[in-house]
Amino acid sequence: MDILTLPPALALILGTYAVLAALAWLRRVTAEKVEGRRNGIILNLLRRAAPPVIGGIVVLILGSVMGVIGATGMGFLLITGGLAFGLHRGLDDLRANDKRVLLFRAAMTAAISMTLIWQAGLF
């Protein structure tokens, strides 16, 4: 196991969680009847997820320009971590995160991401 394979593996785990949380978040947002509340939910997600995603994009660009080894893994880790955090907190605000749902989402994340990591040969 190489230390440079750790950030892509963590980014894959966080990305899997972000995809599963995005599906639940989209289901809740599309069910909202009031347009103003729907726009507020979307802006709340942008407020939470945009800074780490922008930081990850900056790390990706600067890392590729300067030729820093491992910058792509760290950039993707920042991007997927920001998305996972923003979507998780957004679901928390919508009261859609109880222990049963979080446990199911964590189990699905573990199963899917470990399968993808094994298939990709990261570990």
Side-chain angles (χ1 to χ4, degrees):
M1 179 175 88
D2 191 14
I3 193 70
L4 292 178
T5 60
L6 190 61
L10 290 175
L12 186 65
I13 293 169
L14 288 172
T16 305
Y17 180 81
V19 166
L20 293 174
L23 292 174
W25 184 84
L26 281 173
R27 192 185 77 188
R28 292 296 294 244
V29 169
T30 55
E32 283 294 328
K33 302 287 188 231
V34 180
E35 185 70 27
R37 179 155 165 78
R38 189 178 308 145
N39 290 340
I41 294 169
I42 292 169
L43 286 174
N44 197 17
L45 173 67
L46 288 175
R47 180 178 63 91
R48 288 200 169 110
V53 170
I54 292 171
I57 292 170
V58 167
V59 167
L60 281 174
I61 292 171
L62 288 179
S64 65
V65 168
M66 296 177 149
V68 177
I69 297 173
T72 57
M74 289 304 294
F76 286 125
L77 183 63
L78 282 171
I79 292 170
T80 57
L83 288 175
F85 173 75
L87 289 163
H88 178 78
R89 295 297 300 164
L91 286 171
D92 234 12
D93 289 345
L94 295 172
R95 309 281 193 267
N97 277 344
D98 59 347
K99 289 182 182 178
R100 183 175 46 108
V101 172
L102 281 176
L103 190 62
F104 178 72
R105 197 176 303 138
M108 289 297 294
T109 299
I112 293 170
S113 61
M114 291 305 146
T115 303
L116 291 173
I117 288 172
W118 175 63
Q119 289 292 324
L122 291 175
F123 285 112

